[in-house]
Amino acid sequence: MSDALITALQYYGAASGLIAALIVSLNLGTRPTGWGFVIFVTSSLSLIAWGFLGEDSEGIGWQNVGLLAINVVGVYRYLFTKPKEADKSDPA
């Protein structure tokens, strides 16, 4: 694997994770939060690849395996389930 690709994975994972965190923190509603979790999924996938393909970064790879599972739950919850009665006033 080329060093340029490994570096791109690292920086994409970091940048997309920041963007996703901003979207989720803004609490813009169900759909935008769900799309924030989709971006988190791509970040986790990138950092898993970087973690296992790069040198001395396996810990980040394993951390993002766990985060990927959490992020998939977020995608499911915010994009594929109906809001509960209390959440119906949420601007989606």
Side-chain angles (χ1 to χ4, degrees):
M1 185 80 37
S2 76
D3 287 341
L5 178 58
I6 291 173
T7 299
L9 288 168
Q10 175 187 12
Y11 283 100
Y12 174 79
S16 59
L18 287 171
I19 291 166
L22 176 64
I23 292 169
V24 170
S25 73
L26 291 174
N27 195 23
L28 299 171
T30 303
R31 296 208 54 82
T33 299
W35 284 105
F37 277 107
V38 169
I39 297 169
F40 268 136
V41 166
T42 68
S43 173
S44 290
L45 291 171
S46 178
L47 291 172
I48 288 168
W50 172 68
F52 291 115
L53 296 173
E55 293 182 27
D56 299 324
S57 54
E58 194 173 294
I60 294 296
W62 282 114
Q63 177 188 31
N64 277 277
V65 168
L67 290 173
L68 176 62
I70 293 166
N71 295 328
V72 167
V73 170
V75 169
Y76 175 76
R77 181 177 184 275
Y78 285 94
L79 294 180
F80 295 103
T81 62
K82 296 206 183 260
K84 297 176 185 170
E85 283 298 316
D87 294 338
K88 289 214 175 175
S89 64
D90 188 20

